[in-house]
Amino acid sequence: MSVLIAGAGPAGSILARKLSESGVNVILVERLDNPKKQAFSSAALPIEAIEKHQIPVECISSYWRNWQIFSPENDCYKWESSHCLGVVLDFGELRSQLWKRAIDAGVEVLMGWTVVKVESLNTHALVEISSSDGKSKLLTPTVVVDATGYKRSLLGIPRDKATNLLTGTGVEWVLKVDKKIDDRWKNNLTFYIGSSWVKNGYGWVFPMSRNRIKVGICTLPPHNNIKSNIQDLKKLIQANELDDCSIEDKHGGVIQSTIDRSERHYSGRIIGVGDSVSTSNLLGGEGIRHAISSAEILSKHLVETYQKNNFKELDDFVVLKRYQGELRRKLGWKWTISNKIGKRTWWGLSGKEGDKRISKILRGLSMKASAEDLSSVLFDYKFERFGMKLIPYLIGLR
């Protein structure tokens, strides 16, 4: 069995490495020729994710232990912990390390190439790829994996699900700051929530290494009414008196997911992984951990199939229903609840009523929650910590 993976983000790279380590012949096709290009991701993770997903320590840019949220009225709420709760990654370095690991494991990595066309045949796939300088190749892998993210370039979007996709856009700048400014943001994940800051979304400032900070904006507007977030980002930078800081990098991106993840996970000989099967969570826009989880689950099923010498014919792909089912169980019922909360929160955050609601929630959390509680809600979706009565209120049933 041979596998071609289109897209060398975290899901594609980790899947490629794991398959190659198990003896599968893998080709990883990536349109970028440099892992540090277009490296958009706020990349804030809980500390336990580092060991759980074997994330290279070289990618850790900073550690954090406090949550800090500015309300629509510019009131600052802070939840402090005595120990480290998480990390902020350098996403470009993460991709670089994951590509290196894949190559070291024997994966053939084709940088600067794009999958142009895939045809699923009875015994294999016929794949056309092209390079940035106009070259082309025809390959015949047994399986093709779509790891192209929200674009779903190979798997596509079924017509019956297209209207259910929710789309968010984000932009982030990396600023070089002096030590005094760096100390202000150190150890904190800082968010700005309210229509006075950002309509239908939120802003953030995260610490990085070497006196750098990330300043970003993400919006999830209704009706996919996508527009530039640059003005809101500049307003956030100005409000925090960061205008004179030099800009090291500018990047942006898109997240696009269905609320219940009910879209198809495979079609013909093409299998989806990561954001191509909606592993970006809509509440906080987080995707790295969940994309990696999908890769870990898919690798297990593909290796098992490889060892049993299956996938000789197209009908054998029915085994992949197990992959879709296991990933759904892994993310759990709380995934759908958190996505519904995300939709209600960001769609409703466009004026005074939405601001009042957010302020009320923040006041309640400030009185009842610890920093660890916030992590369990925002990373593990454990809303029941504040009573099951909270859930229908958040998703709009009350």
Side-chain angles (χ1 to χ4, degrees):
M1 183 173 83
S2 60
V3 176
L4 183 145
I5 301 173
S13 299
I14 288 175
L15 177 62
R17 174 179 61 83
K18 286 182 172 291
L19 292 176
S20 188
E21 288 173 345
S22 297
V24 180
N25 181 29
V26 183
I27 297 176
L28 182 59
V29 179
E30 169 55 49
R31 65 182 180 83
L32 297 176
D33 58 9
N34 185 323
K36 297 191 178 183
K37 284 184 178 179
Q38 301 175 25
F40 175 69
S41 176
S42 56
L45 274 66
I47 191 66
E48 60 268 18
I50 299 302
E51 182 177 356
K52 179 179 179 181
H53 297 299
Q54 299 178 340
I55 293 173
V57 294
E58 296 89 342
C59 311
I60 299 174
S61 189
S62 66
Y63 293 85
W64 57 270
R65 54 184 173 83
N66 307 319
W67 293 91
Q68 184 170 257
I69 301 179
F70 287 84
S71 75
E73 298 79 25
N74 199 23
D75 295 323
C76 180
Y77 295 93
K78 193 164 186 175
W79 297 262
E80 297 181 330
S81 175
S82 60
H83 59 276
C84 176
L85 295 180
V87 301
V88 176
L89 300 181
D90 181 325
F91 190 71
E93 186 61 30
L94 173 65
R95 278 202 304 215
S96 181
Q97 292 294 326
L98 294 181
W99 288 17
K100 181 179 183 300
R101 284 186 175 186
I103 293 169
D104 290 345
V107 176
E108 181 182 357
V109 179
L110 300 179
M111 291 175 276
W113 288 77
T114 303
V115 175
V116 176
K117 184 180 179 181
V118 178
E119 184 179 357
S120 294
L121 304 177
N122 190 46
T123 58
H124 62 278
L126 186 62
V127 181
E128 179 184 353
I129 65 173
S130 65
S131 66
S132 55
D133 59 1
K135 297 177 183 178
S136 63
K137 291 182 181 181
L138 284 178
L139 304 171
T140 57
T142 314
V143 177
V144 178
V145 176
D146 186 345
T148 62
Y150 80 95
K151 293 180 179 179
R152 299 164 171 84
S153 300
L154 310 183
L155 197 58
I157 304 169
R159 290 182 181 178
D160 63 332
K161 295 296 178 185
T163 57
N164 295 330
L165 279 170
L166 300 183
T167 301
T169 60
V171 61
E172 183 178 70
W173 290 1
V174 177
L175 305 182
K176 183 71 174 178
V177 299
D178 59 31
K179 186 178 184 305
K180 182 178 179 181
I181 295 176
D182 185 57
D183 288 343
R184 176 183 172 190
W185 307 103
K186 190 178 295 182
N187 298 320
N188 300 313
L189 285 191
T190 304
F191 292 91
Y192 296 80
I193 305 178
S195 64
S196 57
W197 296 109
V198 185
K199 287 188 176 181
N200 302 123
Y202 57 95
W204 66 85
V205 178
F206 292 170
M208 293 186 73
S209 59
R210 305 192 306 277
N211 287 358
R212 296 176 300 157
I213 58 174
K214 294 181 179 185
V215 185
I217 294 288
C218 183
T219 58
L220 186 79
H223 314 303
N224 292 341
N225 182 24
I226 303 172
K227 64 178 182 179
S228 172
N229 296 315
I230 296 294
Q231 289 184 340
D232 284 331
L233 179 63
K234 288 181 177 179
K235 184 172 67 176
L236 183 61
I237 288 173
Q238 186 176 27
N240 285 290
E241 300 179 346
L242 300 170
D243 311 60
D244 296 332
C245 299
S246 61
I247 303 169
E248 282 202 353
D249 190 23
K250 296 180 179 182
H251 43 240
V254 175
I255 65 167
Q256 195 175 64
S257 289
T258 55
I259 284 181
D260 61 358
R261 300 193 57 262
S262 60
E263 69 266 38
R264 64 186 178 188
H265 284 43
Y266 66 93
S267 176
R269 289 186 171 269
I270 303 171
I271 311 165
V273 74
D275 288 353
S276 69
V277 289
S278 294
T279 56
S280 282
N281 189 271
L282 297 171
L283 179 60
E286 189 198 2
I288 294 176
R289 287 186 305 144
H290 310 309
I292 292 174
S293 291
S294 71
E296 292 168 344
I297 292 170
L298 179 56
S299 67
K300 180 180 70 174
H301 288 284
L302 287 178
V303 168
E304 179 184 328
T305 303
Y306 165 69
Q307 292 171 344
K308 292 180 179 179
N309 198 29
N310 281 343
F311 287 168
K312 290 182 179 179
E313 296 184 359
L314 195 55
D315 289 345
D316 295 329
F317 264 56
V318 70
V319 70
L320 288 176
K321 287 183 178 179
R322 295 205 300 267
Y323 156 58
Q324 183 169 354
E326 185 174 346
L327 181 55
R328 177 176 286 276
R329 290 190 296 274
K330 170 70 175 178
L331 298 178
W333 63 271
K334 294 175 185 177
W335 181 271
T336 300
I337 295 294
S338 65
N339 274 345
K340 287 184 177 181
I341 292 173
K343 176 184 175 181
R344 173 168 166 76
T345 300
W346 308 130
W347 280 26
L349 196 58
S350 57
K352 291 182 179 179
E353 289 303 314
D355 287 346
K356 286 180 182 178
R357 188 166 161 274
I358 286 293
S359 295
K360 182 178 180 180
I361 291 173
L362 289 176
R363 286 194 297 270
L365 290 174
S366 69
M367 293 184 289
K368 298 179 181 179
S370 65
E372 289 78 6
D373 289 334
L374 254 66
S375 290
S376 70
V377 169
L378 297 174
F379 287 122
D380 300 319
Y381 319 120
K382 293 183 177 180
F383 306 104
E384 66 272 20
R385 282 201 172 207
F386 303 102
M388 295 301 289
K389 292 181 179 179
L390 179 66
I391 291 176
Y393 169 71
L394 287 171
I395 65 176
L397 297 180
R398 293 183 181 177

